[in-house]
Amino acid sequence: MVGWERHSTARVLPPVQPRKLAKVPFVELADGRLQGVVSSGSDVERVYVSSVVAGSHGYSCSTNNNRPCGGLRGTPCKHIQALLEEAVVQYGVARVARYLRIDVDDPDCTDLDLLHRLRGGPESIPAAVVFSRFLRHLAYLEVPESTEPVPELHWFPATRVGR
Amino acid sequence: MRGTHLAELFDGADPGVADALDVVSGFDEALVPGLARVGAEQQSQLAALAGAVAVTPLRERTREAVEKVAAGSFGDEHLAMLAGARTALLGAVHDALLERLDTALGRPRATWATAEAPAPSVSENLMAGVRSWLREVAIAGWRGVDHDLVSASAQTAEAVLAVPALRRLAVLLDGLAAELRASCPVATMERLPLRRWADLWSRALLLAQPGGLPGSAATPVSGRLLPLGVDVHEHGTAVQVQVHAVLESADVPPRLVRTSLTTAKVETIVGPAVWRLLRGAPVLFKALAEHRALEITDVPLLPGGDLVWQDGSARPGETVEPFATARLHLGTALAPAVPPLERHPVRIAEPVLLEGYAVAVSEEGESRLDVDGQALTVDVARLPGCGPLTPDLVAASSACLGLVRWDGGRWLLQPLAVQVRNRRGTTEAHTADWALGPTDPKVVRAEARAGDAVAVLRERAGRLLRR
Ligand SMILES: [Zn+2]
């Protein structure tokens, strides 16, 4: 056997864990941010776009129509808390902490521990960019099925998630 | 597969294989600092690549490409030659490995008949956009990949996904971009998946060449289709269910075939829920879940052994156990030829049946099936979450239907189904047992608790996408 570097099917991304999607339909670690979309508790037509910047830990939250979230008063609002909570379910606390560059010594720490270690303050992050990534994400469900073989998927074997 | 087959498979080494893979690794290392920054070491690695294809028609143009890269003045055509030379070497490795496996199994294989149809016509602008991003990646090198470079692929990838003829390229680009995105900034990664990323980059570059997507002429076939098992492929935004089966047609010997269903998905749809995304093949899925044969009429068969599934051309037949099909046919069925552009070790996936083995777990936690003193390692990471197969079931099994694969310098077994003997007799588990929904009450309850991810996202899409 040779090193991991010489494996065509070397696993780069651990499988994500399933989670309930109703409250936070979209979470991702991308563009140097933890970002996502949080459903409004009161209005089904409204969603909040929340994000936390890796490294600086600056955060932002606004509606998809770019109205600032009323809950942001110098501390992360409940949407950002929900985003962090669901990100930890989806990716595991270690991966979220590593991406955001939060120092954690305890591998069993929780999303609340991560929340308390955010060092940044409110920051202006364009909600439109994140929201369009969410729309693109949803658009995948509209792509038609195909019956042509995709041999390139041999590089992507399915694996089990912990159940 | 008996111990003697395994002994023949493992016996000796093909010296050419190791040498070729070393040359490939040299090229892969050159992609770390990027081709804009090739030093003396990378230059000699690229020269070795040119040397390895020196007795082939690629000779002159590969040598030229290496010189251009060394001089720092290369274009798309030079990158394509380097990717082509690397692909040719891995194609030769594939051929040597598959021949070894066929010989060990005594498996007859059809020869490739060059009956390629014209390539589908696709927008050259779009392909140029893909090549341009791949060039930027090669120039930056893996160490230079940052958020901006990954984001730069998004628009092109989205446009490629919108073209059905480019599905292969779209799925590949999405898979590579997602890994790079999660690894950004790559400069801070301790270890890099060199072979893997260079594989994906090279294949994408070849598929994005003008006429790079091969068209193939299909032949309509009819007969009785006997499923053996299902291989599942998945990344964040795609899932493919690939059925391995035996086709019995009039006047020709039984053939090994595959049929595949692919659809787009999102990262949060995992486990048994992926079956619900595939809605176009209810007849096939019923046959898989109930272990039935299928009668098919005039379904297109591609020269590489892939049936282009048409659910309306299939009728469910009588119950036929996949293990019985394997015992009856795997020793003699004719295997299909491998299409030229698919020749890569990662594509080796030969159905086999193993029985009469002892399961041993090594100190590193690896399961091995020991048959007559010969041990084949089980790739338990390849058990898909959408089915009931678990490492424990494999460890308790007495018979295993699976695919022989090769990666990282060794042969592996990917289980597709197992038989387990217990006090009540023999039970079975197959990867596609839940094609019509989970049958394990515990899994059904867990699914109900988690809620229907597909339904939640479709509801959101309905509200937000069409405004
Ligand atoms: Zn908020």
Side-chain angles (χ1 to χ4, degrees):
Chain A
M1 195 172 78
V2 296
W4 178 80
E5 284 80 1
R6 287 191 174 205
H7 282 66
S8 286
T9 58
R11 196 160 284 283
V12 177
L13 298 180
V16 306
Q17 298 290 322
R19 61 180 185 85
K20 292 184 183 179
L21 298 180
K23 192 162 74 170
V24 183
F26 177 56
V27 168
E28 67 171 0
L29 298 168
D31 305 330
R33 297 186 287 265
L34 163 65
Q35 54 195 20
V37 167
V38 183
S39 303
S40 158
S42 53
D43 180 356
V44 290
E45 299 290 337
R46 192 192 304 155
V47 292
Y48 287 86
V49 176
S50 312
S51 44
V52 179
V53 179
S56 77
H57 302 167
Y59 50 83
S60 98
C61 184
S62 58
T63 68
N64 49 324
N65 301 323
N66 252 328
R67 277 172 211 251
C69 168
L72 268 189
R73 293 194 196 89
T75 51
C77 59
K78 62 181 182 180
H79 307 113
I80 289 170
Q81 292 176 30
L83 179 74
L84 206 52
E85 186 181 342
E86 293 299 304
V88 165
V89 177
Q90 184 164 326
Y91 296 113
V93 73
R95 189 166 158 194
V96 176
R98 198 177 338 113
Y99 195 88
L100 290 178
R101 281 175 261 148
I102 301 175
D103 289 322
V104 287
D105 354 294
D106 179 8
D108 296 322
C109 68
T110 65
D111 56 285
L112 281 176
D113 295 324
L114 295 190
L115 186 71
H116 293 140
R117 285 181 210 190
L118 291 182
R119 295 182 305 264
E123 193 172 310
S124 169
I125 297 158
V129 175
V130 181
F131 193 64
S132 72
R133 293 220 16 116
F134 175 50
L135 293 184
R136 166 144 166 69
H137 182 81
L138 291 178
Y140 275 99
L141 298 176
E142 319 259 308
V143 177
E145 289 172 47
S146 164
T147 52
E148 298 271 344
V150 180
E152 285 67 32
L153 280 170
H154 283 275
W155 272 283
F156 299 92
T159 192
R160 301 185 71 73
V161 293
R163 250 210 307 270
Chain B
M1 215 176 182
R2 306 294 315 163
T4 50
H5 300 132
L6 288 174
E8 198 167 343
L9 184 61
F10 300 148
D11 182 41
D14 303 302
V17 165
D19 292 346
L21 291 172
D22 283 341
V23 173
V24 168
S25 291
F27 174 83
D28 298 351
E29 280 161 23
L31 282 182
V32 175
L35 297 184
R37 274 175 292 277
V38 291
E41 191 187 341
Q42 286 86 25
Q43 283 188 28
S44 80
Q45 285 161 334
L46 293 176
L49 179 65
V53 296
V55 295
T56 75
L58 302 178
R59 173 197 167 108
E60 281 308 316
R61 294 187 55 199
T62 306
R63 197 176 49 79
E64 184 197 345
V66 169
E67 282 167 10
K68 291 286 184 189
V69 169
S73 64
F74 56 92
D76 276 0
E77 69 275 26
H78 304 118
L79 288 183
M81 276 319 293
L82 296 181
R86 181 186 185 279
T87 302
L89 279 183
L90 284 161
V93 171
H94 163 273
D95 292 358
L97 292 169
L98 188 60
E99 192 180 321
R100 172 177 276 266
L101 180 57
D102 282 345
T103 305
L105 293 171
R107 179 159 294 172
R109 186 170 298 277
T111 46
W112 180 253
T114 50
E116 288 196 25
S121 78
V122 290
S123 151
E124 174 47 27
N125 271 349
L126 194 50
M127 303 289 253
V130 174
R131 291 198 300 273
S132 145
W133 181 70
L134 293 167
R135 183 179 62 230
E136 293 303 317
V137 169
I139 289 172
W142 301 126
R143 288 280 178 216
V145 171
D146 58 12
H147 294 299
D148 289 343
L149 184 49
V150 178
S151 299
S153 74
Q155 251 188 338
T156 310
E158 192 174 346
V160 172
L161 187 63
V163 182
L166 296 179
R167 182 62 79 91
R168 287 174 60 181
L169 183 57
V171 163
L172 178 55
L173 287 175
D174 260 6
L176 175 59
E179 292 185 6
L180 294 176
R181 184 177 295 117
S183 307
C184 274
V186 178
T188 62
M189 277 178 87
E190 278 171 37
R191 301 175 73 181
L192 297 175
L194 297 180
R195 173 68 46 77
R196 174 178 180 77
W197 282 356
D199 278 351
L200 301 177
W201 178 86
S202 309
R203 176 63 65 90
L205 194 58
L206 293 194
L207 290 179
Q209 296 303 309
L213 277 166
S216 10
T219 322
V221 292
S222 303
R224 195 164 78 127
L225 188 70
L226 306 163
L228 287 164
V230 172
D231 178 19
V232 185
H233 308 145
E234 187 175 355
H235 66 43
T237 57
V239 58
Q240 173 167 257
V241 164
Q242 190 159 72
V243 183
H244 287 258
V246 174
L247 175 64
E248 296 175 335
S249 302
D251 306 325
V252 290
R255 285 172 279 188
L256 288 172
V257 295
R258 292 175 305 270
T259 194
S260 309
L261 300 163
T262 306
T263 198
K265 69 175 201 73
V266 296
E267 206 177 19
T268 40
I269 298 176
V270 289
V274 300
W275 293 108
R276 285 202 298 279
L277 290 173
L278 292 157
R279 297 185 284 195
V283 174
L284 176 63
F285 279 16
K286 182 179 163 68
L288 294 175
E290 297 176 359
H291 300 177
R292 287 177 187 281
L294 290 139
E295 296 294 334
I296 61 170
T297 310
D298 291 335
V299 174
L301 177 65
L302 299 174
D306 291 288
L307 289 169
V308 182
W309 191 249
Q310 296 176 342
D311 214 53
S313 306
R315 291 187 290 114
E318 75 281 29
T319 305
V320 181
E321 289 303 328
F323 278 93
T325 300
R327 284 187 191 104
L328 183 64
H329 286 299
L330 277 186
T332 51
L334 179 68
V338 182
L341 189 57
E342 295 180 27
R343 291 162 52 239
H344 184 290
V346 81
R347 162 71 160 65
I348 294 174
E350 285 300 306
V352 295
L353 174 67
L354 276 92
E355 298 177 276
Y357 50 76
V359 184
V361 177
S362 75
E363 279 180 12
E364 301 84 50
E366 280 186 347
S367 289
R368 295 184 191 150
L369 304 189
D370 187 316
V371 202
D372 312 326
Q374 298 290 332
L376 184 59
T377 300
V378 180
D379 193 352
V380 286
R382 268 192 119 125
L383 301 175
C386 62
L389 241 60
T390 58
D392 287 348
L393 279 173
V394 174
S397 70
S398 57
C400 180
L401 228 171
L403 299 175
V404 174
R405 293 201 171 261
W406 188 93
D407 197 16
R410 61 177 183 165
W411 296 99
L412 296 159
L413 180 71
Q414 172 190 354
L416 301 180
V418 293
Q419 284 184 330
V420 178
R421 265 191 234 112
N422 54 28
R423 280 162 303 170
R424 282 157 297 167
T426 304
T427 56
E428 293 187 6
H430 300 251
T431 50
D433 279 348
W434 299 345
L436 300 176
T439 52
D440 178 339
K442 266 199 318 220
V443 176
V444 173
R445 278 196 301 275
E447 289 272 286
R449 266 197 312 275
D452 187 339
V454 180
V456 169
L457 291 174
R458 287 221 161 102
E459 186 273 336
R460 288 278 99 180
R463 271 183 205 284
L464 298 168
L465 282 181
R466 277 169 288 279
R467 275 221 295 234

